[in-house]
Amino acid sequence: MADTGIGIAADALTRLIRPFAQADLSTTRPYGGTGLGLAITRRLCELMGGRLQVVSQPGIGSTFTATLHSRVESALVAPPEAPLPIQPGRKLKILACEDNEINRRLLEALMIRRGHQVDFAEDGVIGLERLETASYDLVFVDLAMPRMDGREFVTQIRRREAQRSEPARYLIALTASVLKGERERCLAAGMDDFLTKPLEHAALDQALARFGARVKDSDSAPAS
């Protein structure tokens, strides 16, 4: 992909692939953005065994090249990639409240490779509607969503559970924020776990393992 935008200085190229990095902080207001786009794109390329390259000249524009490696098969359709070994336990049904399409696709790919099913809601309002009509093992909640954000969503869920004497749902916060104390604020608001974006394989697996441990402890607890 090529553009004719403001371009990027050579000394800034190496840091742009890091989350929240921008070539020049002065471009934040006139051009917008949070510095996540290239980091997410690079991560997607790496997940598919490729890499991302950038060539740019200030005042002229930039060219972004994604290189992916694939085998040429004689059949018209290549056989699907073998899924990751599924950890012991049942297949999970997951709801993800996430308004960003790229993040939804990434999360879906990660869950399918782990043998789980995932449904999506583009904001907290739709997420509440999904929970009224279907049962889910756990819920991923993006903190920054339109109409109803993640914090209001978890408040509504916990209030509903208390009013209806429902079992507490397992809620995992998703956020691109790196502000100090964000995790603690999320847990205090009623979240059970916390993950930062872009999602990493190891962090996701650890969160699913913590959920599994919680379920195991709950199942083994004596009835009152």
Side-chain angles (χ1 to χ4, degrees):
M1 182 189 74
D3 64 41
T4 55
I6 60 173
I8 307 168
D11 59 353
L13 284 175
T14 56
R15 68 173 184 269
L16 280 183
I17 58 175
R18 299 197 302 267
F20 301 101
Q22 292 182 323
D24 186 346
L25 291 178
S26 66
T27 65
T28 301
R29 290 190 177 181
Y31 298 101
T34 60
L36 273 176
L38 284 178
I40 292 174
T41 303
R42 184 200 65 172
R43 185 63 182 141
L44 287 172
C45 289
E46 291 175 347
L47 286 171
M48 292 184 283
R51 63 175 180 169
L52 177 68
Q53 294 176 296
V54 184
V55 177
S56 182
Q57 292 184 12
I60 296 179
S62 306
T63 299
F64 302 87
T65 304
T67 303
L68 304 177
H69 301 282
S70 61
R71 295 182 302 172
V72 178
E73 301 287 342
S74 57
L76 292 177
V77 179
E81 180 183 2
L84 293 177
I86 301 175
Q87 296 179 350
R90 61 189 173 87
K91 174 181 178 180
L92 299 177
K93 186 175 181 182
I94 298 168
L95 175 64
C97 299
E98 168 63 67
D99 65 307
N100 184 278
E101 183 178 0
I102 293 178
N103 290 335
R104 290 198 300 268
R105 290 182 179 181
L106 175 58
L107 186 57
E108 182 177 34
L110 293 173
M111 290 298 100
I112 290 176
R113 292 193 69 197
R114 284 156 177 78
H116 304 308
Q117 174 188 341
V118 58
D119 294 334
F120 291 98
E122 289 74 20
D123 57 49
V125 174
I126 298 176
L128 291 177
E129 294 173 354
R130 294 273 194 277
L131 291 171
E132 284 288 342
T133 59
S135 177
Y136 295 95
D137 297 296
L138 64 88
V139 183
F140 288 102
V141 185
D142 182 23
L143 294 185
M145 296 184 291
R147 293 208 295 172
M148 180 186 293
D149 65 16
R151 290 181 177 82
E152 178 60 23
F153 175 84
V154 69
T155 298
Q156 294 284 347
I157 287 296
R158 297 310 188 206
R159 181 182 297 129
R160 179 186 297 179
E161 291 169 346
Q163 293 172 346
R164 302 178 182 180
S165 298
E166 296 176 343
R169 294 171 177 83
Y170 197 87
L171 308 179
I172 300 178
L174 298 176
T175 179
S177 173
V178 293
L179 295 177
K180 184 178 180 180
E182 189 70 74
R183 177 185 178 88
E184 289 72 21
R185 285 189 290 270
C186 285
L187 298 180
M191 298 286 188
D192 296 289
D193 211 334
F194 178 93
L195 290 174
T196 57
K197 297 185 285 188
L199 289 175
E200 298 288 343
H201 283 276
L204 177 60
D205 288 336
Q206 290 168 6
L208 293 176
R210 287 190 291 269
F211 165 73
R214 174 80 67 89
V215 172
K216 182 178 180 180
D217 291 343
S218 176
D219 291 343
S220 61
S224 57

